[in-house]
Amino acid sequence: MGDVLERFAPATREWFRSAFAAPTTAQIGAWDAISAGRHALVVAPTGSGKTLSAFLWAIDSLIAEKVRTQPAMDAAPTGRKKKPPPGTLPATRVLYISPLKALGVDVERNLRSPLVGISLAARRLGIATPEVRVGVRSGDTSSSDRRRLVTDPPDILITTPESLYLMLTSQAAQTLRGVHTVIIDEIHAVAATKRGAHLAVSLERLDALLDKPAQRIGLSATVRPIDEVARFLGGSAPVDIVAPRATKAFDLKVVVPVDDMQGPPPMPERSATRAGADADEDPPTIAEVLDEPDWLREGPDSTGGLGENTEMTGSLWPHIEEAMADRIVPHRSTIVFANSRRLAERLTGRLNEIYAERLGLEIPDATIPAEMMAQAGSTAGAPPVLARAHHGSVSKEQRASVEEDLKSGVLRCVV
């Protein structure tokens, strides 16, 4: 296949070689298909550079197209480039579709590195490089920002399947008439669902707007069966499957915090009850904490017919919470998954209480709901925060704060 990087412009090659030792197997296979204009489904483990392989070719093509279609941009005396005249390109050219709003924000942040790096490499090579603008439209986007995306569309638009449908059903559809590349990330999350069926229709509606069908690139680390998902991605068109062999090494442990799960021993007084709570108060049952319906926790006489009572004299949760704290504290980053938003909030509040107890600090008033404890920030005078909750009911600003704190190491745990 030769050096696949030779297919890119000099500035793009320069940046990639300075940032990475060499392309991964997944990137080589992806660029072979993408550079030829074919639809591609790239299936490779997390960390193999799948997303960059899709975006880098799109960015390189965008820059080349802008150089061809726009007047040459003379460098100003300060070294800054003149802003390209508006309306010189037919609106958005690259569409990135993410099933998760949080993933879209993450991709926008990660796009800055190649965009800035290629611009700096071009400056070193004495090559004029036009600006490539990135925008985001999702359920979190304000009405004013949505209007701005219509009047001044970005070159690369990050969106969700639902927002793409809304755009195609409104005047915003005109901003998509120039799309030449559609990247669908985490395609396994939608392929076999109603959202996936809806997205498939939206992709066909998008192609109906275009002079030429857009190139589709699907990305996933876990999709199965690959052939079926490739048919979903391409519709009636053929799709190249890029799925290099990868060996997965699992480090899996099943841990039970007590010897007898049916009769867990009482916890030491320090963590047996919430601070300030009545020590005689019965601890919540597993069913109550998990928000199970009444028929499931009523026992042998319930219509569910379980044949046994799910209520227990002792609770496993204090033991589970302490065991979680034991594993979270020594590590830099931990992600805990819970079955419901309510459980995530309650568990986060308890982890923060346990952490404060272990540091010998004053524990927040027990009258403060655990949900408020879960979202508490590190404000002056407040106990240190070990964990914060992250789910769909958390505001856009709070989610961004949680994600940034986890990545920077300020926050050790997200539930």
Side-chain angles (χ1 to χ4, degrees), residues 274 289-291 317 321 324 336-354 368-377 385-395 398-399 402 413-415:
R274 292 189 59 194
V289 176
L290 289 176
D291 291 338
W317 278 102
E321 293 157 359
M324 283 185 178
V336 177
F337 293 91
N339 287 349
S340 67
R341 297 174 181 182
R342 184 182 179 194
L343 177 57
E345 298 282 355
R346 288 187 173 187
L347 181 56
T348 303
R350 276 297 298 143
L351 289 173
N352 289 331
E353 289 177 357
I354 292 170
I368 300 176
E371 289 79 4
M372 294 180 65
M373 277 286 296
Q375 293 303 330
V385 174
L386 178 66
R388 293 179 69 184
H390 186 291
H391 50 71
S393 293
V394 178
S395 69
Q398 286 286 339
R399 287 201 309 270
V402 171
C413 176
V414 168
V415 184

Side-chain angles (χ1 to χ4, degrees), residues 168 172-174 176-178 204-212:
L168 290 170
Q174 301 304 313
L176 303 177
R177 287 188 175 275
E204 296 300 323
R205 292 179 64 197
L206 174 65
D207 278 351
L209 282 175
L210 310 177
D211 296 333
K212 176 184 176 183

Side-chain angles (χ1 to χ4, degrees), residues 32-251:
D32 185 49
I34 295 170
S35 63
R38 301 190 295 269
H39 297 329
L41 174 62
V42 185
V43 182
T46 301
S48 58
K50 300 186 300 295
T51 307
L52 180 61
S53 68
F55 268 120
L56 195 62
W57 184 261
I59 291 171
D60 191 70
S61 301
L62 262 173
I63 292 174
E65 182 180 20
K66 284 196 168 192
V67 169
R68 288 195 308 269
T69 58
Q70 293 182 358
M73 294 181 296
D74 300 323
T78 59
R80 291 180 297 181
K81 296 178 180 127
K82 294 180 180 178
K83 192 172 183 179
T88 52
L89 279 182
T92 296
R93 307 294 278 160
V94 178
L95 197 61
Y96 171 89
I97 303 172
S98 164
L100 303 173
K101 291 185 287 187
L103 180 62
V105 174
D106 196 43
V107 167
E108 181 194 22
R109 185 186 300 112
N110 293 338
L111 268 176
R112 295 172 192 159
S113 179
L115 289 174
V116 173
I118 292 172
S119 178
L120 293 176
R123 186 176 299 176
R124 289 194 298 269
L125 296 173
I127 302 172
T129 303
E131 178 189 14
V132 174
R133 296 181 302 116
V134 181
V136 178
R137 170 162 174 161
S138 69
D140 290 332
T141 307
S142 66
S143 56
S144 59
D145 287 340
R146 292 177 187 177
R147 287 193 296 270
R148 191 177 302 112
L149 290 174
V150 173
T151 57
D152 187 19
D155 302 303
I156 301 174
L157 179 63
I158 298 170
T159 189
T160 62
E162 291 75 19
S163 290
L164 174 60
Y165 164 77
L166 293 174
M167 291 185 70
L168 290 170
T169 314
S170 67
Q171 293 182 347
Q174 301 304 313
T175 67
L176 303 177
R177 287 188 175 275
V179 169
H180 60 62
T181 303
V182 178
I183 302 169
I184 306 170
D185 206 352
E186 304 293 341
I187 193 171
H188 64 272
V190 296
T193 67
K194 290 181 180 179
R195 293 181 75 195
H198 214 283
L199 175 60
V201 175
S202 292
L203 292 175
E204 296 300 323
R205 292 179 64 197
L206 174 65
D207 278 351
L209 282 175
L210 310 177
D211 296 333
K212 176 184 176 183
Q215 182 182 24
R216 301 179 187 179
I217 304 170
L219 307 174
S220 177
T222 60
V223 69
R224 293 292 184 277
I226 295 180
D227 291 342
E228 193 67 22
V229 177
R231 288 203 312 120
F232 165 78
L233 174 65
S236 59
V239 175
D240 281 20
I241 297 175
V242 180
R245 288 183 175 273
T247 302
K248 294 183 179 181
F250 292 94
D251 183 7

